[in-house]
Amino acid sequence: MTDTSVAARADAGPANDVGGIAADRLRSFVERIERLEEEKKGISDDIKDVYLEAKGTGFDVKIIRTIIRLRKKAKEERQEEEELIELYKMALGME
């Protein structure tokens, strides 16, 4: 081995390279994910609060959820889904 490769391994140290895994890099990913999970929980709590507020003013939260789901879809996809729902309802004698 050359002196530079020995020095490079010494710099990596056991805290940085464990079993071939770059521990610092892994720790960085884990900590970033944990922070994002915390933010996601905060946003989720905020969304729940908005639904509760809407419910408190008389809106049907189930319908609001459906509207939000539909707004995420393309117009064509939404129309196709609505046509299939109507077809299925007719087939079941619901119309």
Side-chain angles (χ1 to χ4, degrees), residues 6-18:
V6 172
R9 283 192 317 173
D11 288 344
N16 293 332
D17 191 3
V18 179

Side-chain angles (χ1 to χ4, degrees), residues 34-52:
E34 288 172 340
R35 277 193 304 277
L36 290 169
E37 289 289 341
E38 288 175 20
E39 290 176 25
K40 183 170 75 170
K41 182 178 179 344
I43 291 171
S44 179
D45 290 344
D46 290 347
I47 291 170
K48 286 178 189 176
D49 290 344
V50 172
Y51 279 119
L52 286 173

Side-chain angles (χ1 to χ4, degrees), residues 6-91:
V6 172
R9 283 192 317 173
D11 288 344
N16 293 332
D17 191 3
V18 179
I21 297 174
D24 289 342
R25 181 99 172 149
L26 176 60
R27 183 175 296 105
S28 172
F29 285 130
V30 169
E31 289 171 354
R32 285 172 51 201
I33 291 167
E34 288 172 340
R35 277 193 304 277
L36 290 169
E37 289 289 341
E38 288 175 20
E39 290 176 25
K40 183 170 75 170
K41 182 178 179 344
I43 291 171
S44 179
D45 290 344
D46 290 347
I47 291 170
K48 286 178 189 176
D49 290 344
V50 172
Y51 279 119
L52 286 173
E53 185 180 342
K55 184 177 181 178
T57 57
F59 289 101
D60 187 321
V61 171
K62 183 178 178 182
I63 301 302
I64 291 174
R65 289 183 189 276
T66 300
I67 293 296
I68 290 170
R69 181 180 54 80
L70 290 172
R71 286 174 51 116
K72 291 179 182 178
K73 297 181 179 185
K75 182 179 180 181
E76 297 78 23
E77 183 182 2
R78 193 170 55 245
Q79 287 174 335
E80 181 180 338
E81 183 179 302
E82 289 170 357
E83 289 171 4
L84 283 173
I85 289 171
E86 289 302 315
L87 178 64
Y88 287 10
K89 286 169 48 179
M90 287 187 334

